[in-house]
C-alpha cells in the first residue's frame, strides 16, 4: 500500500488513512477463496472497524456481519447488510439489544449462557417469533496469542463450557421460541499458526459426534469464529492474509455432515492492512539516555501498543536519513502512551510525517476522547487520489 504524502498536505493530523483498493482486493480474495468450498459463509466482524464508509464497501461486496452489540447490529443494517446475514454474539446482550435484533429479524444469536437463552426465549415469546440460536461453546482450546486476546480457554468469560453442552440442549428443548440451529466458537485473535484452528476442528468434530451419537442431532450451522492474524512485521510483503491456507485448514480438518454450512467471522484479517495512522512529529526530545519522538497521535487514537503490547511498524514518510534509535510516544498524560521503544527509524525532526502501519483493525474502532482529544478522522484513498 502507498501513502501519498504529498496529498496529505493540508489534512490535519492525526488521521487514519485507508487504501480502498487494498481493502477491495482483500475482500475479493476472501470471497473467492471461500467460494471454492460452496458451503462457507463469511461474516465481517464489525468491531474491528465500524467506519461507516468502510462498512458500506464491505456490505456491498456481499459479506455478512458479525456483531457484538446492538449498536453494531444497527450499523450493519445501515451499511446495507441484510438481516439474514447478521449474527450476534456477546456475553452480555441486554434485553434492549435482544429485542432490537429480534425485531430486525437477524439470522442468528450466538448465545453464551443459559440466562441469556431464557431472556431470548421470553422476548421472542412476547413477539410471537422463534429466534434462531447457535450455542457459543467454550472449547477450552488455547490460542497461542497475547493473553488479552485469548477467548477459548475455560478460564475466559466467553461461551458455554463444552462439557455442559448436553445439559444446555435439554434446557433448549423446553423452550418454544428458540430454534437451535448451530454451534459457535471463537478462540481468539491474531492467530498465525494453523495448529490452534486444527485443535478447534478436533474439538468440534468430537462435539458433533457426541450430538449425533447421543441424540441423533445434526445442527445445520457450524460457526468457527474468526481470529486469523496479519503480519504486523511485514505489511508490504503480506498485504493480504493467507486466506487460501486458512480456509483449506478448516476444509481439511472439519468433519461435516451433509448439508452443513460453515460460518467464519473475520475482522482483523479483512481490514488491518488497508489502514495506517498518519501522525505528525511535534517534537524530538533528547532525554538523558533516550531520544523521544513525540507525535500528535496518542494512545487514545491507537491503543493497541498500550493495551496488548502490540507492534506496529512505524515509517517516516518524509525522511530517508540514516536510522537513529527512538521511543515514539504520544502526548497523553499516561506513561503507557508509548507506541514503541528503542526503535530504529530514519533520523526524524519536528514536522515529519510518520505512519503506523497495519492499523486498520482495532485502531479507529477503539479510539476514545481521553484528555479532551478529538477522535481521529478517517481519510479514504478515494477522497484524495
Ligand atoms: C472479535 C470477534 C471476532 C473477530 O476476530 P478477529 O480476530 O478480528 O478476526 C469474531 N467473532 C467474535 C465472536 C468476536 O468477538
Amino acid at each position: 500500500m502507498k501513502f501519498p504524502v504529498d496529498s496529505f498536505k493540508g489534512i490535519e493530523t492525526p488521521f487514519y488513512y485507508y487504501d480502498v483498493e487494498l481493502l477491495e482486493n482483500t475482500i475479493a480474495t476472501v470471497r473467492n477463496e471461500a467460494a471454492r468450498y460452496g458451503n462457507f459463509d463469511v461474516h465481517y466482524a464489525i468491531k474491528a472497524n465500524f467506519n461507516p464508509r468502510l462498512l458500506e464497501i464491505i456490505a456491498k461486496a456481499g459479506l455478512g456481519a458479525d456483531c457484538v452489540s446492538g449498536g453494531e447490529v444497527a450499523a450493519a443494517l445501515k451499511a446495507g447488510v441484510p438481516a439474514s446475514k447478521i449474527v450476534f454474539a456477546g456475553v452480555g446482550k441486554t434485553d434492549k439489544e435482544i429485542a432490537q435484533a429480534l425485531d430486525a429479524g437477524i439470522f442468528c444469536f450466538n448465545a453464551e449462557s443459559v440466562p441469556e437463552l431464557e431472556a431470548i426465549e421470553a422476548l421472542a415469546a412476547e413477539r410471537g417469533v422463534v429466534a434462531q440460536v447457535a450455542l457459543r461453546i467454550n472449547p477450552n482450546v488455547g490460542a497461542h496469542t497475547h493473553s488479552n486476546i485469548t477467548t477459548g480457554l475455560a478460564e475466559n468469560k466467553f461461551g458455554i463450557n463444552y462439557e455442559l453442552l448436553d445439559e444446555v440442549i435439554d434446557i433448549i428443548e423446553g423452550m418454544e421460541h428458540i430454534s437451535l440451529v448451530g454451534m459457535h466458537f471463537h478462540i481468539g485473535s491474531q492467530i498465525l499458526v494453523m495448529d490452534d484452528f486444527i485443535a478447534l476442528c478436533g474439538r468440534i468434530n468430537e462435539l458433533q459426534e457426541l450430538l449425533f451419537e447421543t441424540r441423533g442431532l445434526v445442527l445445520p450451522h457450524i460457526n468457527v469464529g474468526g481470529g486469523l492474524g496479519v503480519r504486523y512485521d511485514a505489511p508490504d510483503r503480506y498485504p493480504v492474509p493467507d486466506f487460501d491456507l486458512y480456509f483449506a485448514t478448516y476444509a481439511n480438518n472439519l468433519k461435516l455432515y451433509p448439508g452443513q454450512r460453515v460460518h467464519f467471522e473475520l475482522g482483523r484479517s479483512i481490514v488491518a492492512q488497508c489502514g495506517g495512522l498518519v501522525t505528525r512529529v511535534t517534537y524530538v526530545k533528547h532525554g538523558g539516555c533516550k531520544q523521544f519522538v513525540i507525535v500528535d497521535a496518542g494512545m487514545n487514537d491507537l491503543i493497541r501498543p498500550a493495551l496488548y503490547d502490540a507492534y506496529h511498524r512505524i515509517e517516516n514518510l518524509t525522511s530517508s536519513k540514516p536510522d537513529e534509535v527512538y521511543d515514539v510516544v504520544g502526548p497523553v498524560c499516561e506513561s503507557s502512551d508509548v507506541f514503541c521503544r528503542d526503535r530504529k527509524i530514519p533520523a526524524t525532526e519536528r514536522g515529519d510525517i510518520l505512519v503506523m502501519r497495519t492499523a486498520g483493525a482495532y485502531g479507529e474502532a477503539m479510539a476514545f476522547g481521553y484528555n479532551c482529544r478529538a477522535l481521529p478522522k478517517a481519510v479514504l484513498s478515494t477522497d484524495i487520489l
Side-chain angles (χ1 to χ4, degrees):
M1 123 174 220
K2 292 206 170 51
F3 291 89
V5 67
D6 291 338
S7 310
F8 290 167
K9 290 203 179 95
I11 304 176
E12 198 182 338
T13 51
F15 61 89
Y16 277 91
Y17 178 72
Y18 297 107
D19 183 332
V20 171
E21 192 183 332
L22 177 54
L23 175 61
E24 286 174 340
N25 284 344
T26 307
I27 299 169
T29 309
V30 172
R31 284 187 58 81
N32 293 338
E33 295 295 342
R36 287 163 51 180
Y37 301 97
N39 59 339
F40 284 9
D41 294 323
V42 179
H43 305 265
Y44 168 62
I46 287 191
K47 75 174 191 285
N49 191 322
F50 57 89
N51 180 297
R53 293 199 291 161
L54 300 189
L55 279 189
E56 249 173 58
I57 292 168
I58 292 165
K60 225 177 240 154
L63 297 188
D66 164 44
C67 303
V68 293
S69 73
E72 288 190 358
V73 172
L77 291 167
K78 187 153 186 248
V81 179
S84 62
K85 288 187 179 177
I86 294 178
V87 296
F88 184 10
V91 292
K93 302 178 191 78
T94 63
D95 286 10
K96 186 177 166 195
E97 290 174 313
I98 292 168
Q100 175 198 345
L102 285 171
D103 292 340
I106 65 162
F107 162 55
C108 189
F109 290 85
N110 294 329
E112 308 215 10
S113 66
V114 172
E116 179 190 336
L117 287 165
E118 289 165 353
I120 296 172
E121 165 74 5
L123 290 158
E126 265 174 33
R127 289 166 172 72
V129 297
V130 173
Q132 297 210 108
V133 168
L135 289 178
R136 177 164 183 179
I137 315 286
N138 186 321
N140 198 20
V141 169
H144 295 96
T145 183
H146 189 278
S147 63
N148 281 6
I149 50 177
T150 297
T151 56
L153 290 176
E155 68 196 63
N156 298 129
K157 70 179 176 182
F158 299 100
I160 293 165
N161 186 310
Y162 72 94
E163 288 162 343
L164 302 177
L165 176 59
D166 205 47
E167 239 172 85
V168 174
I169 294 179
D170 281 342
I171 294 172
I172 291 178
E173 281 180 349
M175 296 180 162
E176 282 178 20
H177 299 274
I178 287 187
S179 163
L180 181 64
V181 298
M183 283 193 276
H184 171 243
F185 305 84
H186 175 65
I187 56 171
S189 201
Q190 184 52 18
I191 300 166
L192 283 168
V193 177
M194 294 299 115
D195 299 12
D196 284 326
F197 297 128
I198 294 172
L200 173 62
C201 289
R203 181 73 82 209
I204 296 173
N205 295 341
E206 262 171 49
L207 291 171
Q208 290 238 77
E209 227 164 86
L210 180 88
L211 290 188
F212 187 70
E213 279 172 11
T214 61
R215 298 175 168 263
L217 182 61
V218 175
L219 296 169
H221 300 284
I222 302 295
N223 185 332
V224 298
L228 178 62
V230 296
R231 292 290 297 267
Y232 285 92
D233 58 326
D236 293 321
R237 209 161 352 127
Y238 304 99
V240 179
D242 194 347
F243 294 113
D244 177 9
L245 174 68
Y246 174 73
F247 289 125
T249 299
Y250 279 101
N252 295 333
N253 290 282
L254 262 188
K255 286 188 206 142
L256 295 175
Y257 292 87
Q260 282 189 314
R261 296 197 72 80
V262 185
H263 298 259
F264 298 86
E265 302 170 334
L266 295 170
R268 185 192 311 270
S269 52
I270 293 178
V271 289
Q273 293 293 21
C274 76
L277 176 60
V278 178
T279 181
R280 188 181 302 271
V281 175
T282 313
Y283 301 110
V284 178
K285 168 161 124 174
H286 299 273
C289 53
K290 290 226 177 212
Q291 299 196 94
F292 296 100
V293 169
I294 302 166
V295 295
D296 63 3
M299 64 191 290
N300 68 296
D301 301 298
L302 177 64
I303 201 178
R304 298 190 65 260
L307 189 58
Y308 310 119
D309 271 324
Y311 172 93
H312 286 267
R313 256 187 80 82
I314 297 181
E315 292 166 6
N316 188 328
L317 298 177
T318 47
S319 165
S320 47
K321 294 183 196 129
D323 284 351
E324 292 203 23
V325 177
Y326 300 102
D327 284 15
V328 178
V329 304
V332 172
C333 297
E334 293 291 334
S335 298
S336 54
D337 185 23
V338 174
F339 293 108
C340 66
R341 294 178 211 276
D342 300 323
R343 184 83 64 85
K344 274 191 198 161
I345 49 175
T348 294
E349 54 191 54
R350 174 174 163 85
D352 278 351
I353 301 291
L354 308 189
V355 59
M356 314 210 184
R357 301 292 308 273
T358 321
Y362 307 108
E364 188 185 355
M366 293 178 101
F368 54 103
Y370 186 43
N371 286 185
C372 276
R373 289 171 53 80
L375 291 177
K377 298 274 183 306
V379 175
L380 274 55
S381 55
T382 43
D383 295 337
I384 55 176
L385 295 182

